[in-house]
Amino acid sequence: MRRRAADLWVRIGGGVIVALAVLAVAAPSAATHDPNAIDLLEALQPPSALHWLGTDSLGRDLYSRLVFGARISLLVGVGAIGVAMLIGTALGLAAGWYGGWVDSALMRFVDVMLCFPTFFLLLAIVALIGQSVANIILIIGVTGWMGVARLVRAEVLSLKEREFIQAARVLGFGAGRIMWRHLLPNALSPVLVSATLGIGSAILVESGLSFLGLGVQPPTPSWGNLLIDAKGTLGVAWWLTLYPGLAILCTVLAFNLLGEGLRERLGRS
Amino acid sequence: MLTYLIRRVLGLIPLGIGITLLCFVVIHLTPGDPAVVGTDLNPKISLQARQRIKEFYGLNDPLPVQYGRWVARVARLDFGRSLADNRPVSEKIAERIPVTLTINVLSMLLILLLGLPIGIVAAAKPHGVFDHATTLLVFLGFSMPTFWLALLLMQWLGVQWQWLPISGLQGLGTDSWPWWERGWDLARHLALPVFVSAFGGLAGVARYMRSQMVDVLQQDYIRTARAKGLPEPRVLFDHALRNALLPIITILGLSVPGLLGGSVIFETIFAIPGLGRLYYDAVMARDLMTVMGLLTISAGLTLLGNLLADLAYAYADPRIRVGGQGG
Amino acid sequence: MTPARRSNAVGRAPHRLRGIARSAAFLATFLFVCQVVPLRAENQPAAGLPAAPAAQAGDTLVAGSIGDARNLIPILASDSASADICGLVFNGLVKYAPDLTLVGDLAERWEVQEGGLVIVFHLRPGVRWHDEVPFTAQDVRFTYERLVDPGTPTPYSGDFERIERLEVMDELTVRVRYKEPFAPGLASWGMWMMPRHLLEGADWQTTPFARRPIGTGPFRFRRWKTGESIELIANPSYFEHRPHVDRHFTRIIPDQATMFLELSTEQVDLSGLTPLQFRRQIDTPFFRTHYRVFRYPAFGYTYVGYNLRDPRFADRRVRQALNLAINKEEIIDGVLLGLGRVSTGPFPPESWAYDEAVTPAPYDPAQAKDLLAEAGWRDSDGDGWLDLEGQPFRFTLLTNQGNDQRQKAAEIIQRRLKEIGIQVEIRVVEWSAFLSQFIDARNFEAILLGWGLSRDPDLFDIFHSSKTKPGEFNFVGYNNEDVDRLILEGRRTFDQAERAAIYKRIHALIYEDQPYTFLYVPDALPIVHARFRNVAVTPIGIGYNLIDWYAPTAEWRYPRWRLEP
């Protein structure tokens, strides 16, 4: 019963994400128009058979821009969390495995990082180093790895005492090999769950940065950018406000439900 | 309790050092010359700003000296003067803190008011209809771009139906009104921002409360209580709640930085002059003095939040005070 | 109100860039920055000018501003929000009248002597500062001395550095002697005057005056809630007459969408519209009955500037080809929704310096390609992009972040140039980085920017070849001996007809050279609540007669918010 309920979230969330990923990968064929093709005669058209979700103020096809935007948003979400996982896992492994002063130093560093409002750090760094897609991925990752580090460390601490790890140590395996072959695979599942939740947050963060004018550079159609365009047309072109917002909402929701479902499953198994 | 307090405060010292060190590093990470700032095309102004930054941070001195002097000033809450308008940074921050704090405290209260019951009731019948419905609801809030929700609500509640004011903190010309009218006016202005910021934070508390309750409800003493035939509400609220509630306190302490960061967006859209807006304006104006001051202060506020949470926790759970380091 | 005062601030060169560059970032303040020309109120005919005698004193005018003010010391106010407030609190010696002539403000009259070398100002007697201290010639001298003091971080000193000396003849007479005849000199005295008795010996960094200004203007400063609002109240002893409205209240609303929602609920009385709002959002019964909308050309233009140190752009044929390949009409339609006009040079069409004989080049990609081929740019490897000596023609077009119109214009240009085989990469950079890393460092290939103009056509700061040093405004590095000579001649000539002939010549030369591709002159689109009467468009905008605006008692929106006696 419980298992089934958790599965439901996983299925819904996973289904939406898979569909989205397919759409993003197939964007060139899934889109009906060139996402950046300007056609002033077609500006601000409501949804129709020709433009499924309407057009923006330069006459660009919103549906096509959303489809291509999915690429950017997913890329930012997955990329940023990838970076965060990389840093967080490495530091968490080191802290948990070596313990002692390495552990205290790293964990104090995590504490210090957690004291800063992440969004403050993000804004400052983006404003300083500029807003390319790569930069934004990197910055969201660099400011968001602390949870992962704590999680991995806790896993490692509990795994360290388990027999198979003890056995590996007795057998004289090197630290690197134990971490890579034994600790990492076993610590990975909770990390993946939290990463799933993190992807949703990263997509939201990108849209927030866009809202403040510090997101991915236009005309790149990230979903955040599409929503910003919508700000100026509020009340004139409801479709420009509605669809990009819904796209973000559904995607982030899908990631959250998936992560939550996975977590439930993990907790029960 | 006193020794515990002292121990906790002493525990903050390394964190304080870490925070200031990190801030200090950030200053020096600024690409190129940290003193290249200013948004003015006027070379005189940029020159002066550069001079002031050099002076304030003593950029020509050896690094340890720079750091030492800077920390000494920070300890006295002296963050220098803003490059944008020459006012002392601490003064600029001080006048913005009450607004941001009020909104965040209110939204935290709202989160607790809604999140706790949702979590408790959901936990009473895990995977029931209510549980699913509220799970979806709180995640909806968590997944919604804040500014999008804000724009929609402003459009509907503010313009379409005109129930609530759209932005700002105060109706025009209300200064001379009697206090109850002013209070009502303020409440109406705060309604949207507080709701928007609370809706996003609901998921954390509600989900956490739910999982805590589910765990607690599986404990032996709850089974005992139920076996004794105690009515279910008493089991839930007297026995389970107390124990499930404790960890929530820590969550609240930890949520301070998130709330501060989130305030950037909703303060911009609701035209509320708080810390978030100040920070954003400072970043955009390259006002390094204000940026550094705010980063340091916000980290300090987080520390304070954590300390308060620890103390509240210790107060609620005597074991902590006696036992080892909490949190 | 503001635009009127702002047009006083003529010849404050640095303000020009801040002017448009900023204003576009801060759209709502746009109308205050761009000074104005012909009268084309689109929705309503301009109401008859001067004040109706039956004006009732009372009610509050609520202005919406995107940005907060920074510093209200007149000579340091370099952002548009601060300048807007200063314009209401302070006066200059002269100001522009609605017909674009210079008239006295704090100066009652003046004489220009010795062929323009000397100006003698006779000050208006009986003028008092808001603290009741009389305004005298000492204040003029004080303001001048602060302006030219190298320790003062003012961007407005340029025109005043041409002064040889300034003498106080008596309490109400000032004699200004220039080093050489300087035509823009008179207009530069639109600079707001500062009170000596309050600022003598003050430290610019710390003086409370920056946040509590005291001037001679129609409104007195009351209160500034940082980031929230700035409240000014009517000056009962203003030398013209007390403003009819009790209060001028500026609300700071940082988001454009929020601003429009506030307009939709009548919580803001005066603001600027975006072209999209003008075209699509205000044609509703609500807006037709509650607001009046005005439209007139802004006194400024938007352009693409090329770094002429770059060998590709050093070739004039290339620049001319770019001009032919960019369709300005299309940009105006797409970006401004038709609310603007093609620009052909450094003056807006309303200026007396504008040369009607300069006709805008047609959109002609074929001819553009021919010109480029002539300059050596051909698609020799058949990849669709033009190349020369193996290098494809590719450049980065920079513009500042926060300006939707410029970003869209850049996207349209990108597409058109792609059609003739030039690859354009767009980079949108946050304003401060834009200035420090690119403009000041001369580190750009092409930029899309705008200039807000002063009424005087002097082009020294923007196009003279001596102004190419870091921090100066000829950042494209334009250098034409004839233009240099004519610019200097224009500064020395006082007769307007003679000056006009000189600037027309400059206009033609610059258009021939194409250091910029001139794109468009946007329209200013202010919106004012309909309860205010006496609001009218003139060549200097709508705010010049703010003290005459009034709302009939029955229509007051803030009847409870009276001015306590």
Side-chain angles (χ1 to χ4, degrees), chain A residues 174-216:
Chain A
R177 176 163 171 188
I178 296 179
M179 280 196 242
W180 183 248
R181 298 282 292 275
H182 301 289
L183 287 178
L184 199 58
N186 285 291
L188 211 57
S189 40
V191 171
L192 284 178
V193 169
S194 87
T196 313
L197 294 168
I199 293 175
S201 309
I203 293 176
L204 276 184
V205 166
E206 192 277 326
S207 75
L209 284 175
S210 294
F211 171 77
L212 296 172
L214 290 170
V216 177

Side-chain angles (χ1 to χ4, degrees), chain C residues 409-484:
Chain C
E411 288 169 31
I412 294 175
I413 290 170
Q414 181 184 41
R415 186 181 58 151
R416 284 299 176 199
L417 293 187
K418 185 180 170 190
E419 286 171 5
I420 60 162
I422 298 176
Q423 196 174 355
V424 179
E425 214 178 295
I426 299 174
R427 232 182 120 183
V428 183
V429 184
E430 177 264 325
W431 180 247
S432 56
F434 188 78
L435 293 183
S436 63
Q437 292 171 24
F438 300 102
I439 298 282
D440 283 353
R442 308 299 191 238
N443 175 26
F444 62 88
E445 292 172 306
I447 46 166
L448 205 161
L449 259 190
W451 287 117
L453 299 174
S454 58
R455 245 157 252 277
D456 192 275
D458 181 26
L459 292 176
F460 188 76
D461 286 307
I462 302 178
F463 287 108
H464 194 274
S465 63
S466 69
K467 291 306 231 181
T468 54
K469 290 190 281 295
E472 294 180 331
F473 302 133
N474 185 357
F475 35 73
V476 296
Y478 181 58
N479 185 350
N480 178 323
E481 275 177 33
D482 291 332
V483 171
D484 277 359

